[in-house]
Every structure is written in structure tokens, then in C-alpha cells.
Amino acid sequence: MDQIVRLPSQLGALVQSVRLARGMTQQQLASLIGKQQKTISAIENGSAGTKLETLLSVIATLDLDLQVIPRRKDGLDIADVF
């Protein structure tokens, strides 16, 4: 699964989708990373202000990788860029 994420809301939706696919509750995921359930809820709702360390812990716990690559600018519609 390769997914481009450019907005907090997109990252939140991805986290929620993967978490649910793995049959986990927000509380279970939060416990695995040593945080409160409200932290996972905030991430999934696209709230700004989550620490990078917390996001990286969530990504790793869900067996995902973060990959930063240059943006493609090969004639995409502006909606595809943002």
C-alpha cells in the first residue's frame, strides 16, 4: 500500500484505516505507544500539534514506514498537489 499524505487529515484517515484493518481500538493502540486514547483520536481527526515522536511511534506500531520523496510535478491538477 503506497499512499501520499500531504495533510494531517489524510494521515489521520490512514492511521484510522490501518488501525481498524488490524482490529485494534484507539485505546489498544494508545497503550502500545504509552499514550492516552485521546492522542490517537486527535491524530485520526487530523488535529495539528501532535509531536513527531508520537506520530513516528504510531506509524511503527502499525507496521508502516514513513518515506519522504520529492513531489511529482508532472502535469498534475492543482487538486492533486494539495
Side-chain angles (χ1 to χ4, degrees):
M1 163 187 49
D2 289 342
Q3 181 148 352
I4 294 175
V5 172
R6 293 193 175 113
L7 301 170
S9 60
Q10 292 171 326
L11 179 60
L14 178 62
V15 166
Q16 182 180 47
S17 175
V18 173
R19 175 183 61 77
L20 292 173
R22 290 181 174 36
M24 298 173 72
T25 65
Q26 288 182 343
Q27 182 60 53
Q28 289 169 324
L29 179 54
S31 293
L32 289 171
I33 66 166
K35 299 292 180 183
Q36 296 181 353
Q37 175 272 331
K38 67 181 183 179
T39 301
I40 303 303
S41 178
I43 292 168
E44 290 182 0
N45 286 314
S47 297
T50 304
K51 291 183 179 181
L52 180 58
E53 179 182 351
T54 301
L55 290 171
L56 292 174
S57 292
V58 167
I59 289 167
T61 300
L62 293 174
D63 293 324
L64 300 172
D65 283 321
L66 176 67
Q67 182 179 19
V68 178
I69 59 173
R71 278 194 179 182
R72 292 187 336 211
K73 296 181 182 174
D74 50 15
L76 294 176
D77 183 32
I78 192 70
D80 295 328
V81 175
F82 296 103

Coordinates of all heavy atoms in Angstrom, one line a residue:
M1 N 0.8 -1.2 0.0 CA 0.0 0.0 0.0 C 0.9 1.2 0.0 O 1.6 1.5 0.9 CB -0.9 0.0 1.2 CG -1.5 1.3 1.5 SD -2.4 1.5 3.1 CE -1.4 0.9 4.3
D2 N 0.9 2.0 -1.0 CA 1.5 3.3 -1.1 C 0.5 4.4 -1.1 O -0.4 4.3 -1.9 CB 2.4 3.4 -2.4 CG 3.6 2.5 -2.4 OD1 4.0 2.0 -1.3 OD2 4.2 2.3 -3.5
Q3 N 0.6 5.3 -0.2 CA -0.3 6.4 -0.1 C 0.4 7.7 0.1 O 1.3 7.8 1.0 CB -1.3 6.1 1.0 CG -2.4 7.2 1.1 CD -3.7 6.7 1.6 OE1 -3.9 5.5 1.7 NE2 -4.6 7.6 1.8
I4 N 0.1 8.7 -0.7 CA 0.6 10.0 -0.5 C -0.2 10.7 0.6 O -1.4 10.8 0.5 CB 0.7 10.8 -1.8 CG1 1.6 10.1 -2.8 CG2 1.1 12.2 -1.6 CD1 1.7 10.7 -4.1
V5 N 0.5 11.3 1.5 CA -0.1 12.1 2.6 C 0.5 13.5 2.6 O 1.7 13.6 2.7 CB 0.1 11.4 4.0 CG1 -0.4 12.3 5.1 CG2 -0.6 10.0 4.0
R6 N -0.4 14.5 2.5 CA 0.1 15.8 2.5 C -0.6 16.7 3.6 O -0.2 17.8 3.8 CB -0.1 16.5 1.1 CG 0.8 15.8 0.1 CD 0.8 16.7 -1.2 NE 1.7 16.1 -2.2 CZ 1.4 15.5 -3.3 NH1 0.1 15.5 -3.7 NH2 2.3 15.0 -4.1
L7 N -1.6 16.2 4.2 CA -2.4 16.9 5.2 C -2.6 16.1 6.4 O -2.6 14.8 6.4 CB -3.8 17.3 4.6 CG -3.8 18.1 3.3 CD1 -5.2 18.1 2.8 CD2 -3.3 19.5 3.6
P8 N -2.7 16.7 7.6 CA -2.9 16.0 8.8 C -4.2 15.1 8.7 O -4.2 14.0 9.2 CB -3.1 17.1 9.9 CG -2.3 18.2 9.3 CD -2.5 18.2 7.8
S9 N -5.2 15.6 8.1 CA -6.4 14.8 7.9 C -6.2 13.6 7.1 O -6.8 12.5 7.4 CB -7.5 15.7 7.3 OG -7.2 16.1 6.0
Q10 N -5.3 13.6 6.1 CA -5.0 12.4 5.3 C -4.2 11.4 6.1 O -4.5 10.2 6.1 CB -4.2 12.8 4.1 CG -5.0 13.6 3.1 CD -4.1 14.2 2.0 OE1 -3.0 14.5 2.2 NE2 -4.7 14.3 0.8
L11 N -3.3 11.9 7.0 CA -2.5 11.0 7.8 C -3.5 10.4 8.8 O -3.4 9.2 9.1 CB -1.4 11.7 8.5 CG -0.6 10.9 9.5 CD1 0.1 9.7 8.8 CD2 0.5 11.8 10.2
G12 N -4.4 11.2 9.4 CA -5.3 10.6 10.4 C -6.2 9.6 9.8 O -6.5 8.5 10.4
A13 N -6.7 9.8 8.6 CA -7.6 8.8 7.9 C -6.8 7.5 7.6 O -7.3 6.4 7.8 CB -8.1 9.4 6.6
L14 N -5.5 7.6 7.3 CA -4.7 6.5 7.0 C -4.5 5.7 8.3 O -4.6 4.5 8.3 CB -3.4 6.9 6.4 CG -2.4 5.7 6.1 CD1 -3.0 4.7 5.1 CD2 -1.1 6.3 5.6
V15 N -4.1 6.4 9.4 CA -3.9 5.7 10.7 C -5.2 5.0 11.1 O -5.1 3.8 11.5 CB -3.5 6.7 11.7 CG1 -3.6 6.2 13.1 CG2 -2.0 7.2 11.5
Q16 N -6.3 5.6 11.0 CA -7.6 5.0 11.4 C -7.9 3.8 10.5 O -8.2 2.7 11.1 CB -8.7 6.0 11.3 CG -10.0 5.4 11.7 CD -11.2 6.4 11.6 OE1 -11.3 7.1 10.6 NE2 -12.0 6.5 12.6
S17 N -7.7 3.9 9.2 CA -7.9 2.8 8.3 C -7.1 1.6 8.7 O -7.6 0.4 8.7 CB -7.7 3.2 6.9 OG -7.8 2.2 6.0
V18 N -5.8 1.8 8.9 CA -4.9 0.7 9.2 C -5.2 0.1 10.5 O -5.2 -1.1 10.7 CB -3.4 1.2 9.0 CG1 -2.4 0.1 9.5 CG2 -3.1 1.6 7.6
R19 N -5.4 1.0 11.5 CA -5.8 0.5 12.9 C -7.0 -0.4 12.8 O -7.0 -1.5 13.4 CB -6.0 1.7 13.8 CG -6.5 1.3 15.2 CD -6.8 2.5 16.0 NE -7.8 3.4 15.6 CZ -9.1 3.1 15.6 NH1 -9.6 2.0 16.2 NH2 -10.0 4.0 15.2
L20 N -8.0 0.0 12.1 CA -9.2 -0.8 12.1 C -9.0 -2.1 11.3 O -9.5 -3.1 11.7 CB -10.3 0.0 11.4 CG -10.9 1.2 12.2 CD1 -11.9 2.0 11.4 CD2 -11.5 0.7 13.5
A21 N -8.2 -2.0 10.2 CA -7.9 -3.2 9.5 C -7.1 -4.3 10.3 O -7.2 -5.5 10.1 CB -7.0 -2.9 8.3
R22 N -6.4 -3.8 11.3 CA -5.7 -4.7 12.2 C -6.5 -5.1 13.5 O -6.1 -5.7 14.4 CB -4.4 -4.0 12.7 CG -3.4 -4.0 11.5 CD -2.1 -3.3 11.9 NE -1.0 -3.3 11.0 CZ -1.0 -3.2 9.7 NH1 -2.1 -3.1 9.0 NH2 0.1 -3.1 9.0
G23 N -7.8 -4.6 13.5 CA -8.7 -5.0 14.6 C -8.4 -4.3 15.9 O -8.6 -4.9 16.9
M24 N -7.8 -3.2 15.9 CA -7.3 -2.5 17.1 C -8.3 -1.4 17.4 O -8.8 -0.7 16.6 CB -5.9 -1.9 16.9 CG -4.9 -2.9 16.7 SD -3.3 -2.2 16.3 CE -2.9 -1.5 17.9
T25 N -8.5 -1.1 18.7 CA -9.2 0.0 19.2 C -8.2 1.2 19.4 O -7.0 0.9 19.4 CB -9.9 -0.2 20.5 OG1 -8.9 -0.4 21.6 CG2 -10.8 -1.4 20.5
Q26 N -8.7 2.4 19.5 CA -7.8 3.5 19.8 C -7.1 3.3 21.1 O -5.9 3.6 21.2 CB -8.6 4.8 19.8 CG -9.1 5.3 18.5 CD -9.9 6.6 18.6 OE1 -10.3 7.0 19.7 NE2 -10.0 7.3 17.4
Q27 N -7.8 2.8 22.1 CA -7.2 2.5 23.4 C -6.0 1.5 23.3 O -5.0 1.7 23.9 CB -8.2 2.0 24.4 CG -7.7 1.8 25.8 CD -7.1 3.1 26.4 OE1 -7.7 4.1 26.5 NE2 -5.8 3.0 26.8
Q28 N -6.2 0.5 22.5 CA -5.2 -0.5 22.4 C -3.9 0.1 21.7 O -2.8 -0.2 22.2 CB -5.7 -1.7 21.5 CG -6.7 -2.6 22.3 CD -7.3 -3.6 21.4 OE1 -7.6 -3.3 20.2 NE2 -7.6 -4.8 21.9
L29 N -4.1 0.9 20.7 CA -3.0 1.5 20.0 C -2.3 2.5 20.9 O -1.1 2.5 21.0 CB -3.5 2.2 18.7 CG -2.4 3.0 17.9 CD1 -1.2 2.1 17.6 CD2 -3.0 3.6 16.7
A30 N -3.1 3.3 21.7 CA -2.5 4.2 22.6 C -1.7 3.5 23.7 O -0.6 4.0 24.0 CB -3.7 5.0 23.3
S31 N -2.2 2.4 24.2 CA -1.5 1.7 25.2 C -0.1 1.1 24.7 O 0.9 1.2 25.4 CB -2.3 0.5 25.7 OG -3.4 1.0 26.4
L32 N -0.1 0.7 23.4 CA 1.1 0.2 22.9 C 2.2 1.3 22.7 O 3.4 0.9 22.8 CB 0.8 -0.4 21.5 CG 0.1 -1.8 21.5 CD1 -0.3 -2.1 20.1 CD2 0.9 -2.8 22.1
I33 N 1.8 2.5 22.6 CA 2.8 3.6 22.5 C 2.9 4.4 23.7 O 3.7 5.4 23.8 CB 2.5 4.5 21.2 CG1 1.2 5.3 21.4 CG2 2.5 3.7 19.9 CD1 1.1 6.4 20.5
G34 N 2.2 4.0 24.8 CA 2.3 4.7 26.0 C 1.7 6.1 26.1 O 2.1 7.0 26.8
K35 N 0.6 6.2 25.4 CA -0.1 7.5 25.3 C -1.6 7.2 25.7 O -2.0 6.1 25.9 CB -0.1 8.1 23.9 CG 1.3 8.4 23.4 CD 1.9 9.6 24.2 CE 3.3 9.9 23.7 NZ 3.9 10.9 24.5
Q36 N -2.4 8.3 25.8 CA -3.8 8.2 26.1 C -4.6 8.0 24.8 O -4.2 8.4 23.7 CB -4.2 9.4 26.8 CG -3.6 9.6 28.2 CD -4.1 10.8 28.9 OE1 -4.9 11.6 28.4 NE2 -3.7 11.0 30.2
Q37 N -5.8 7.5 24.9 CA -6.7 7.3 23.8 C -7.0 8.6 23.1 O -7.1 8.6 21.9 CB -8.0 6.6 24.3 CG -9.0 6.4 23.2 CD -10.0 7.6 23.1 OE1 -10.2 8.3 24.1 NE2 -10.5 7.8 21.9
K38 N -7.1 9.7 23.8 CA -7.4 10.9 23.2 C -6.3 11.4 22.2 O -6.6 12.1 21.3 CB -7.7 12.0 24.2 CG -6.5 12.4 25.1 CD -6.8 13.5 26.1 CE -5.6 13.9 26.9 NZ -6.0 15.0 27.9
T39 N -5.1 10.9 22.4 CA -4.0 11.3 21.5 C -4.2 10.6 20.1 O -4.1 11.2 19.1 CB -2.6 10.8 22.1 OG1 -2.4 11.5 23.3 CG2 -1.5 11.1 21.1
I40 N -4.6 9.3 20.2 CA -4.9 8.6 18.9 C -6.2 9.3 18.2 O -6.2 9.5 17.0 CB -5.2 7.1 19.2 CG1 -4.0 6.5 19.9 CG2 -5.5 6.4 17.8 CD1 -2.7 6.6 19.1
S41 N -7.2 9.6 19.0 CA -8.3 10.3 18.5 C -7.9 11.6 17.8 O -8.4 11.9 16.7 CB -9.3 10.6 19.6 OG -10.5 11.3 19.1
A42 N -7.1 12.4 18.4 CA -6.6 13.7 17.8 C -5.9 13.4 16.5 O -6.1 14.2 15.5 CB -5.7 14.4 18.8
I43 N -5.0 12.4 16.5 CA -4.3 12.1 15.2 C -5.3 11.7 14.1 O -5.2 12.2 13.0 CB -3.3 11.0 15.5 CG1 -2.1 11.5 16.4 CG2 -2.7 10.5 14.1 CD1 -1.2 10.3 16.9
E44 N -6.2 10.9 14.4 CA -7.2 10.4 13.4 C -8.1 11.5 13.0 O -8.6 11.4 11.9 CB -8.0 9.2 14.0 CG -7.1 8.0 14.2 CD -7.9 6.7 14.6 OE1 -9.1 6.8 14.9 OE2 -7.2 5.7 14.8
N45 N -8.3 12.5 13.8 CA -9.1 13.6 13.4 C -8.4 14.7 12.7 O -8.9 15.8 12.4 CB -9.9 14.2 14.6 CG -11.0 13.3 15.1 OD1 -11.8 12.8 14.3 ND2 -11.1 13.0 16.4
G46 N -7.1 14.5 12.5 CA -6.3 15.5 11.8 C -5.9 16.7 12.5 O -5.6 17.7 12.0
S47 N -5.9 16.6 13.9 CA -5.6 17.7 14.7 C -4.1 18.1 14.6 O -3.2 17.2 14.6 CB -5.9 17.5 16.2 OG -7.3 17.3 16.3
A48 N -3.8 19.3 14.5 CA -2.4 19.8 14.5 C -1.8 19.7 15.9 O -2.5 19.7 16.9 CB -2.3 21.2 13.9
G49 N -0.5 19.6 15.9 CA 0.2 19.8 17.2 C 0.7 18.4 17.8 O 1.2 18.5 18.9
T50 N 0.5 17.3 17.2 CA 1.0 16.1 17.7 C 2.5 16.0 17.5 O 3.0 16.4 16.5 CB 0.3 14.9 17.0 OG1 -1.1 15.0 17.1 CG2 0.8 13.6 17.5
K51 N 3.2 15.6 18.5 CA 4.6 15.5 18.5 C 5.0 14.5 17.4 O 4.4 13.5 17.2 CB 5.2 15.1 19.8 CG 5.1 16.1 20.9 CD 5.7 15.6 22.2 CE 5.7 16.6 23.3 NZ 6.3 16.1 24.5
L52 N 6.1 14.8 16.7 CA 6.7 14.0 15.7 C 7.0 12.6 16.3 O 6.7 11.6 15.7 CB 7.9 14.6 15.0 CG 8.5 13.8 13.9 CD1 7.6 13.5 12.8 CD2 9.8 14.5 13.4
E53 N 7.6 12.6 17.4 CA 7.9 11.3 18.1 C 6.7 10.4 18.3 O 6.8 9.2 18.1 CB 8.5 11.6 19.5 CG 8.9 10.4 20.3 CD 9.5 10.7 21.6 OE1 9.8 11.9 21.9 OE2 9.7 9.8 22.4
T54 N 5.6 11.0 18.6 CA 4.3 10.3 18.8 C 3.8 9.7 17.5 O 3.5 8.5 17.4 CB 3.2 11.1 19.5 OG1 3.7 11.6 20.7 CG2 1.9 10.4 19.6
L55 N 3.9 10.5 16.4 CA 3.5 10.1 15.1 C 4.3 8.9 14.6 O 3.8 8.0 14.1 CB 3.5 11.2 14.1 CG 2.4 12.3 14.3 CD1 2.7 13.5 13.4 CD2 1.1 11.8 14.0
L56 N 5.6 9.1 14.8 CA 6.5 8.0 14.4 C 6.3 6.7 15.2 O 6.4 5.6 14.6 CB 8.0 8.5 14.5 CG 8.4 9.6 13.6 CD1 9.8 10.1 13.9 CD2 8.3 9.1 12.1
S57 N 5.9 6.8 16.4 CA 5.6 5.6 17.2 C 4.3 5.0 16.7 O 4.3 3.7 16.6 CB 5.4 6.0 18.7 OG 6.6 6.4 19.3
V58 N 3.3 5.8 16.4 CA 2.1 5.2 15.8 C 2.4 4.5 14.5 O 1.9 3.4 14.3 CB 1.0 6.3 15.6 CG1 -0.1 5.9 14.8 CG2 0.5 6.8 17.0
I59 N 3.1 5.2 13.7 CA 3.5 4.6 12.3 C 4.2 3.3 12.5 O 3.9 2.3 11.9 CB 4.3 5.6 11.5 CG1 3.4 6.8 11.1 CG2 4.9 5.0 10.3 CD1 4.1 8.0 10.5
A60 N 5.2 3.2 13.4 CA 5.9 2.0 13.6 C 5.1 0.9 14.2 O 5.2 -0.3 13.8 CB 7.1 2.3 14.5
T61 N 4.2 1.3 15.2 CA 3.4 0.3 15.8 C 2.4 -0.4 14.8 O 2.0 -1.5 15.0 CB 2.6 0.9 17.0 OG1 3.6 1.4 17.9 CG2 1.7 -0.1 17.7
L62 N 2.0 0.4 13.9 CA 1.1 -0.1 12.8 C 1.8 -0.8 11.7 O 1.2 -1.2 10.7 CB 0.2 1.0 12.3 CG -0.8 1.6 13.3 CD1 -1.5 2.8 12.7 CD2 -1.8 0.5 13.7
D63 N 3.1 -1.0 11.9 CA 4.0 -1.7 10.9 C 4.0 -1.0 9.6 O 3.9 -1.5 8.5 CB 3.5 -3.2 10.6 CG 3.8 -4.0 11.9 OD1 4.8 -3.8 12.5 OD2 3.0 -4.9 12.1
L64 N 4.0 0.4 9.6 CA 4.1 1.2 8.5 C 5.5 1.9 8.5 O 6.2 1.9 9.5 CB 3.1 2.3 8.5 CG 1.6 1.8 8.5 CD1 0.7 3.0 8.7 CD2 1.3 1.1 7.2
D65 N 5.9 2.4 7.3 CA 7.1 3.2 7.2 C 6.8 4.6 6.7 O 5.8 4.7 5.9 CB 8.1 2.6 6.1 CG 8.8 1.3 6.7 OD1 9.2 1.4 7.9 OD2 9.0 0.4 5.9
L66 N 7.6 5.5 7.1 CA 7.4 6.9 6.6 C 8.5 7.1 5.6 O 9.7 6.9 5.8 CB 7.6 7.9 7.7 CG 7.6 9.4 7.4 CD1 6.2 9.8 6.9 CD2 8.0 10.2 8.6
Q67 N 8.1 7.5 4.4 CA 9.1 7.7 3.3 C 8.8 9.2 2.8 O 7.7 9.5 2.4 CB 8.8 6.7 2.2 CG 9.8 6.9 1.1 CD 9.6 5.8 0.0 OE1 8.5 5.2 -0.1 NE2 10.6 5.6 -0.9
V68 N 9.9 9.9 2.7 CA 9.8 11.3 2.2 C 10.4 11.3 0.9 O 11.6 10.9 0.7 CB 10.5 12.3 3.2 CG1 10.4 13.7 2.6 CG2 9.9 12.2 4.6
I69 N 9.7 11.7 -0.1 CA 10.1 11.8 -1.5 C 9.8 13.1 -2.1 O 8.9 13.8 -1.7 CB 9.5 10.6 -2.3 CG1 8.0 10.7 -2.4 CG2 9.9 9.3 -1.8 CD1 7.3 9.8 -3.3
P70 N 10.5 13.5 -3.2 CA 10.2 14.7 -3.9 C 8.7 14.7 -4.5 O 8.3 13.6 -4.9 CB 11.2 14.8 -5.0 CG 12.3 13.9 -4.6 CD 11.7 12.9 -3.8
R71 N 8.1 15.8 -4.4 CA 6.8 15.9 -5.0 C 6.8 15.7 -6.6 O 7.7 16.3 -7.2 CB 6.1 17.2 -4.7 CG 5.5 17.2 -3.4 CD 4.5 18.4 -3.3 NE 3.9 18.4 -2.0 CZ 3.0 19.2 -1.6 NH1 2.7 20.2 -2.4 NH2 2.5 19.1 -0.4
R72 N 5.9 15.0 -7.1 CA 5.8 14.9 -8.6 C 5.1 16.2 -9.1 O 4.1 16.6 -8.5 CB 5.0 13.7 -9.0 CG 5.6 12.4 -8.7 CD 4.8 11.3 -9.3 NE 3.4 11.6 -9.4 CZ 2.4 10.8 -9.3 NH1 2.6 9.6 -9.1 NH2 1.1 11.2 -9.5
K73 N 5.6 16.7 -10.1 CA 5.0 17.9 -10.7 C 4.9 17.8 -12.2 O 5.2 18.6 -13.0 CB 5.9 19.2 -10.3 CG 5.9 19.5 -8.9 CD 6.7 20.7 -8.5 CE 6.7 20.9 -7.0 NZ 7.5 21.9 -6.6
D74 N 4.4 16.6 -12.6 CA 4.4 16.2 -14.0 C 3.0 16.4 -14.6 O 2.3 15.5 -15.0 CB 4.8 14.8 -14.2 CG 4.1 13.8 -13.3 OD1 3.1 14.2 -12.6 OD2 4.6 12.7 -13.2
G75 N 2.5 17.7 -14.5 CA 1.2 18.0 -15.1 C 0.0 17.6 -14.3 O -1.1 17.5 -14.8
L76 N 0.2 17.4 -13.0 CA -0.9 17.1 -12.2 C -1.9 18.3 -12.0 O -1.4 19.4 -12.0 CB -0.5 16.6 -10.8 CG 0.3 15.3 -10.7 CD1 0.8 15.1 -9.3 CD2 -0.5 14.2 -11.2
D77 N -3.1 18.0 -11.8 CA -4.1 19.0 -11.5 C -3.7 19.6 -10.1 O -3.2 18.9 -9.2 CB -5.5 18.4 -11.4 CG -6.5 19.4 -11.2 OD1 -6.4 20.6 -11.6 OD2 -7.5 19.1 -10.6
I78 N -4.0 20.9 -9.9 CA -3.7 21.5 -8.6 C -4.3 20.8 -7.4 O -3.7 20.7 -6.3 CB -4.1 23.0 -8.6 CG1 -3.4 23.8 -7.4 CG2 -5.6 23.2 -8.6 CD1 -2.0 23.9 -7.5
A79 N -5.4 20.2 -7.6 CA -6.1 19.4 -6.5 C -5.3 18.2 -6.1 O -5.3 17.8 -5.0 CB -7.5 19.0 -7.0
D80 N -4.5 17.7 -7.1 CA -3.6 16.5 -6.8 C -2.4 16.9 -6.0 O -1.8 16.1 -5.3 CB -3.2 15.8 -8.0 CG -4.4 15.2 -8.7 OD1 -5.4 14.7 -8.0 OD2 -4.4 15.1 -10.0
V81 N -2.0 18.2 -6.1 CA -0.8 18.7 -5.4 C -1.1 19.0 -4.0 O -0.3 18.8 -3.1 CB -0.2 19.9 -6.1 CG1 0.9 20.5 -5.4 CG2 0.2 19.5 -7.6
F82 N -2.3 19.5 -3.7 CA -2.7 19.9 -2.3 C -3.8 19.0 -1.9 O -4.2 18.6 -1.1 CB -3.1 21.3 -2.2 CG -2.0 22.3 -2.5 CD1 -1.9 22.9 -3.7 CD2 -0.9 22.5 -1.6 CE1 -0.9 23.8 -4.1 CE2 0.1 23.4 -1.9 CZ 0.1 24.0 -3.1

